[in-house]
Amino acid sequence: MVTRLRRLESLLGGRLDGIDYSSIAELVGNAEAAESEDLDYKRAHYSADDKGREELAKDVAAFANHTGGLLVLGMAEDKGVPSKVFDVDLDDRHLRHIRQVVANNTAPPVPYEAIAVPNPDAPGTGFLLLAVPRSPSGPHAVTAPPTKPSRDALRHPRRGSSNRGAVAVWAREAGLT
């Protein structure tokens, strides 16, 4: 089943499973495509270390605990606005890593859909979209060991706004809606 994120489908010009490479690449410099409560850009794949695992788990859980959203891997941003394309590898190794991190470091595991958008001029690379619906099974906690001191064994992230734009923030379970 394809995750439907209507605002983002309007921005991208179609359903997420039908988006082509140029539709995403053309977002560069578009202020309307700035990071928001339902959109986040990552220049590269998450690292395989503890910090990378925690960050991936936090980002997908934050979307699931809020309104849902889209992570675009392969796009750099400057002050939240997409600024440059950096194609990522679309190989099975990275997809397996993401699946394992989400399954093993979120509770309950966050549902998401990985959508590869290949670069027609560079086979095996392109954008990787992680579409995360708002979850009826939330709140979702991050169970990865914290990389910063924390008294909480389970940490519940949520998308929110800051002076840097939309970010994933830690929230108390009682404060999630």
Side-chain angles (χ1 to χ4, degrees):
M1 183 173 172
V2 176
T3 301
R4 302 297 308 266
L5 301 167
R6 305 274 191 232
R7 185 189 82 79
L8 299 175
E9 289 175 352
S10 176
L11 176 71
L12 294 167
R15 287 175 51 132
L16 297 177
D17 61 341
I19 296 300
D20 65 10
Y21 183 85
S22 63
S23 296
I24 300 170
E26 290 169 0
L27 296 177
V28 171
N30 181 349
E32 291 182 17
E35 290 183 330
S36 61
E37 291 188 5
D38 62 354
L39 181 60
D40 196 3
Y41 299 105
K42 301 295 178 189
R43 177 177 172 162
H45 281 288
Y46 291 87
S47 64
D49 61 10
D50 288 345
K51 185 175 182 179
R53 286 189 292 275
E54 181 184 38
E55 189 67 22
L56 173 55
K58 179 180 177 183
D59 286 344
V60 296
F63 278 136
N65 287 340
H66 195 50
T67 61
L70 184 68
L71 284 162
V72 179
L73 281 66
M75 180 71 79
E77 53 82 21
D78 182 21
K79 298 179 183 159
V81 177
S83 61
K84 188 172 181 182
V85 171
F86 284 93
D87 288 347
V88 296
D89 289 331
L90 300 177
D91 58 8
D92 286 340
R93 179 177 61 91
H94 285 97
L95 294 173
R96 278 192 313 271
H97 172 73
I98 291 168
R99 186 173 47 247
Q100 289 171 346
V101 168
V102 172
N104 295 330
N105 295 282
T106 61
V110 173
Y112 74 95
E113 182 175 6
I115 304 167
V117 183
N119 180 340
D121 298 326
T125 68
F127 297 107
L128 181 60
L129 310 180
L130 300 181
V132 182
R134 179 179 181 154
S135 176
S137 304
H140 295 272
V142 172
T143 59
T147 56
K148 295 180 181 174
S150 175
R151 291 184 295 179
D152 299 323
L154 297 177
R155 291 148 299 134
H156 298 83
R158 176 183 177 137
R159 290 293 287 181
S161 296
S162 77
N163 58 356
R164 297 181 314 152
V167 295
V169 296
W170 297 113
R172 296 276 179 215
E173 186 172 350
L176 295 175
T177 58

